[in-house]
Amino acid sequence: MTHPRGSAAKTAALSAALSGAVDLSALKARAEAPQKQPPAPPRAPAADGAVPSAPAAGGAVIEVTEATFQAEVVERSLQQLVVVDLWAEWCGPCKQLSPVLERLAAESGGAWVLAKVDVDANPRIAQLFGAQSIPTVIAIGGGQPVDAFSGALPEPEIRKWLGSLLDALRDRLPGIKAAEENGGGVEVPEDVRFTEAEDAFERGDFAAAQAAYERILDVEPANEEAKTALAQVKFTARAEAAGPDAIAKADADPADLDAQLAAADLEVAGQQPEAGFARLIAAVRRTAGDERNKAREHLVALFELFDSADERVMKARRDLASALY
């Protein structure tokens, strides 16, 4: 589940779990055994007979495999920040996130490099990080994970995340300073409309944040960042308004649909999404007509706060279909 300004509990938990807890040398033996890897196919000649050159070393975006992980990620991270993007071809959110990361890496002028990992082709890397869903993005500095997030976050939030990492690592990784001194790492102005909304959210003024995102959507109805952030603001406002006794009230009166909705919000906010999903699926089974539709729509809105590939969401969608049909 993502959240404005990257404060989603799952992101914090992922960062805490990775911080100093992952031994990236676990793949070193595999990287040092090239004879076990199938030889790379020869590149086909171009129309004029010339053989295409390999991608230039040190590019902003690199494709990483289990065999190249040690050199391209671990060793490179001793000099510059390396951001690992765990993705897969079938992952919808990955297709939203990866182009943003690639563009930001190119803009950085070498202050950091994006290392893309296809988890289907390189499952051991995903296992190494304990990634339970994708996209998952891990920042590597000095040979160790330093921070991470999961899900397709809005671009302004990713920029803030990267900026804070570069600030924290500038004195430790010489490549960051070198790139900035050579003209890289130029700050790109943020969208002030998003800044206004994010500042309001930070103050706890959810009504102002909601209004700011709605103004963006009035002008740009297809702006996915604004849509996602608006849903997250609405959820946070509901969860905070639910009250600490919302779950007890709902358990005492299963027929009170509004109580069930509030309790589900509180459970999801408390990192118990399975409980919240199950509560609303039970409400769908018990109700009919407008009440059933209200429970269903609320549940679907909660699904949208999570990565679509999250196993908990996938199971709950199956259970919802069974309840409806």
Side-chain angles (χ1 to χ4, degrees), residues 110-136:
W112 62 278
V113 65
L114 178 66
K116 295 175 61 64
V117 177
D118 181 342
V119 298
D120 287 339
N122 303 278
R124 288 162 62 97
I125 297 178
Q127 292 167 10
L128 174 72
F129 290 113
Q132 297 186 5
S133 64
I134 55 173
T136 289

Side-chain angles (χ1 to χ4, degrees), residues 13-27 69 73-74 124-131 138-148:
L14 177 59
S15 298
L18 287 177
S19 181
V22 178
D23 179 10
L24 295 184
S25 64
L27 291 176
F69 188 88
V73 174
V74 181
R124 288 162 62 97
I125 297 178
Q127 292 167 10
L128 174 72
F129 290 113
I138 307 102
I140 311 295
Q144 282 294 323
V146 292
D147 205 355

Side-chain angles (χ1 to χ4, degrees), residues 4 49 101 149 216 265 285:
L101 292 174
F149 69 81
I216 296 173
D265 285 340
R285 294 184 187 278

